């Protein structure tokens, strides 16, 4: 059992002038609509000791909505509190479900953009899995930039070059045919400035294509997915706000899509020859988004109360809870709900995470095989897309706990 409770303290929601202008459009018309104090600032970091996990830096969530462009962001975000390095463990490549999706996505991009023999620059390539897939499946020359890339895990025979750094104008000489940026833009505080840098990087190949993927925020708003609102994600995009950002940065938006059971939002774009006024049908109207924002505080309060009661009920019945998944969603579950001292077990299929400790709440991350002896009564699945995979694994261990999923509908 964790020895300390979460430091997170949900605050009452209030309308207030946010402390900084919208990073996507410069407007000062920002409405704060969701606040939690003292959440872990680095929810994917691996901590070797309980003491180090307890000492994980924290920060506040003060999520604001720009009524001029629809951009949603943490107005209290401070990049100095986060750490992206080799001990940042975000990979999902231990999951068959995710790997199947990744291969399918690589296959579609290779065909759509006829990538054989071409150059792909991936900004925020993580541990490099997707670029290596493109290289293997499509004979692609790859360059990956990410401060957390682990060169020691890369096969030296791969046709991909990795740069362990943040993306910056110094990488503009790469002249890529396709720029890929997956699950990264939501981490970047000065987002319009970043997109302007990307536009400048295409000066040597003005026909280059862009493929970006981010978490889809309409689902977060509709499902009240509190586990998907955490410190490293300073930005939350809808199809409308993402497309508006791209147009403002000088791109023509060609396609908006959703992937992975609508959890991810994708955008494909290229340099616009002139200011591009074309709005795609997938972009939700600003008024519709504002309406969702206005009802969100009451709805998410109810959602958090529900899950707190699930945990309290289990605890009073002396039932043992295990969270399946130890990444950002589990960190947010433990800290946003303030149930860090009531959840005994956290497991994960990624072996790199085993025997490390959860930030702030300090549970040891156990291998799924340890559940055989630890015998949880309830398993809470952090991402419902893995429910069948997890149920199969539990069954193979002759375990039959109650399985609950967040937002199972
Ligand atoms: Zn704005």
């Amino acid at each position: 059992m964790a020895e300390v409770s979460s430091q997170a303290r949900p605050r009452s929601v209030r309308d207030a002038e946010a402390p900084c202008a919208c990073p996507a459009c410069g407007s000062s018309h920002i409405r704060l609509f969701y606040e939690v104090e003292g959440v872990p600032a680095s929810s994917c970091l691996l901590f070797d000791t309980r003491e180090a996990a307890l000492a994980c830096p924290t920060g506040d969530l003060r999520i604001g909505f720009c009524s001029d462009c629809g951009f949603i962001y943490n107005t209290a975000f401070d990049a100095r509190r986060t750490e992206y390095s080799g001990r940042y463990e975000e990979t999902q490549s231990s999951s068959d479900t995710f790997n199947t999706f990744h291969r399918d996505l690589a296959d579609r991009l290779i065909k759509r953009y006829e990538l054989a023999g071409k150059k792909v620059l991936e900004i925020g390539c993580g541990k490099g899995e997707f670029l290596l897939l493109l290289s293997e499946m499509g004979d692609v020359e790859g360059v990956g930039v990410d401060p957390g890339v682990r060169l020691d895990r890369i096969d030296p025979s791969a046709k991909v070059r990795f740069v362990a750094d943040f993306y910056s104008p110094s990488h503009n000489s790469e002249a890529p045919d396709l720029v890929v940026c997956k699950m990264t833009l939501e981490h970047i505080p000065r987002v319009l400035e970043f997109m302007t840098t990307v536009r400048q990087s295409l000066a040597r190949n003005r026909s280059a294509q862009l493929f970006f993927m981010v978490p889809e925020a309409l689902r977060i708003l509709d499902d009240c997915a509190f586990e998907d609102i955490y410190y490293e994600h300073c930005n939350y995009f809808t199809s409308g706000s993402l497309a508006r950002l791209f147009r403002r940065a000088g791109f023509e938006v060609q396609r908006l899509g959703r992937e992975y059971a609508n959890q991810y939002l994708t955008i494909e774009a290229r340099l616009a020859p002139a200011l591009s006024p074309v709005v795609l049908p997938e972009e939700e109207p600003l008024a519709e988004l504002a309406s969702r924002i206005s009802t969100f505080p009451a709805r998410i309060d109810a959602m958090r109360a529900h899950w707190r009661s699930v945990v309290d009920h289990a605890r009073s019945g002396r039932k043992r809870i295990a969270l399946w998944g130890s990444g950002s969603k589990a960190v947010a579950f433990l800290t946003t709900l303030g149930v860090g001292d009531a959840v005994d077990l956290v497991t994960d299929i990624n072996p790199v995470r085993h025997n490390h400790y959860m930030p702030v709440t300090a549970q040891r991350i156990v291998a799924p095989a340890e559940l055989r002896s630890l015998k949880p009564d309830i398993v809470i699945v952090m991402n419902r897309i893995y429910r069948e995979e997890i149920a199969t694994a539990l069954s193979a261990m002759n375990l039959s706990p109650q399985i609950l999923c967040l937002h199972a509908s």
Side-chain angles (χ1 to χ4, degrees), residues 155 240 306 353:
D155 177 353
H306 165 72
R353 291 181 151 274

Side-chain angles (χ1 to χ4, degrees), residues 98 101-102 105 109 122-125 130 180-186 211-214:
F98 187 80
F101 160 69
H102 234 185
L105 179 64
L109 290 185
E122 185 173 7
I123 301 169
C125 63
F130 192 67
V180 171
C181 184
K182 291 166 45 261
M183 314 318 274
T184 297
L185 200 59
E186 66 274 20
F211 176 87
F212 277 48
M213 186 164 82
V214 293

Side-chain angles (χ1 to χ4, degrees), residues 2 37 225 241 246 280:
E37 284 188 342
S241 70
F246 270 62
L280 272 59

Side-chain angles (χ1 to χ4, degrees), residues 140-218:
V140 168
E141 181 191 352
V143 179
V145 182
D146 194 300
V149 72
R150 288 281 297 269
L151 300 174
D152 56 315
R153 289 197 210 167
I154 306 292
D155 177 353
S157 66
K159 278 180 52 182
V160 179
R161 187 159 54 83
F162 288 102
V163 182
D165 197 0
F166 285 100
Y167 178 74
S168 73
S170 67
H171 305 112
N172 286 1
S173 59
E174 299 294 349
D177 298 289
L178 174 69
V179 176
V180 171
C181 184
K182 291 166 45 261
M183 314 318 274
T184 297
L185 200 59
E186 66 274 20
H187 296 257
I188 295 175
R190 292 191 294 276
V191 72
L192 180 60
E193 186 182 316
F194 174 80
M195 290 308 303
T196 304
T197 301
V198 172
R199 187 190 67 208
Q200 290 163 352
S201 79
L202 304 182
R204 290 177 55 196
N205 186 358
R206 299 188 63 79
S207 61
Q209 292 283 333
L210 263 62
F211 176 87
F212 277 48
M213 186 164 82
V214 293
E216 204 282 319
L218 279 186

Side-chain angles (χ1 to χ4, degrees), residues 22 24-25 65-66 68-73 185 191 214-218 235-248 253 256 265 267 282-286 289:
C22 171
C25 79
F65 169 68
C66 172
D68 285 335
C69 79
F71 188 59
I72 297 169
Y73 66 107
L185 200 59
V191 72
V214 293
E216 204 282 319
L218 279 186
N235 308 325
Y236 299 84
F237 295 98
T238 65
S239 53
S241 70
L242 185 61
R244 283 187 284 275
L245 171 70
F246 270 62
R247 284 194 290 270
R248 197 169 297 109
V253 179
L256 288 159
L265 175 63
I267 186 166
E282 292 84 359
E283 298 176 37
E284 82 291 336
L286 195 52
L289 183 55

Side-chain angles (χ1 to χ4, degrees), residues 1-9 37-60 81 231-232 326-327 330-336 338-343 346 356-365:
M1 183 185 297
E3 292 175 352
V4 294
S5 62
S6 154
Q7 297 299 305
R9 297 180 299 279
E37 284 188 342
V39 299
S42 294
S43 54
C44 281
L45 280 189
L46 295 177
F47 292 99
D48 294 333
T49 65
R50 184 181 298 274
E51 291 69 28
L54 290 169
C56 173
T58 61
D60 297 336
R81 292 176 184 270
Y231 198 78
E232 290 106 310
S326 69
V331 172
F333 185 94
L334 293 168
T335 57
T336 299
V339 297
D341 57 351
V343 172
V346 179
H356 291 84
Y357 293 83
M358 296 294 281
V360 175
T361 55
Q363 288 90 347
R364 182 175 67 88
I365 301 165

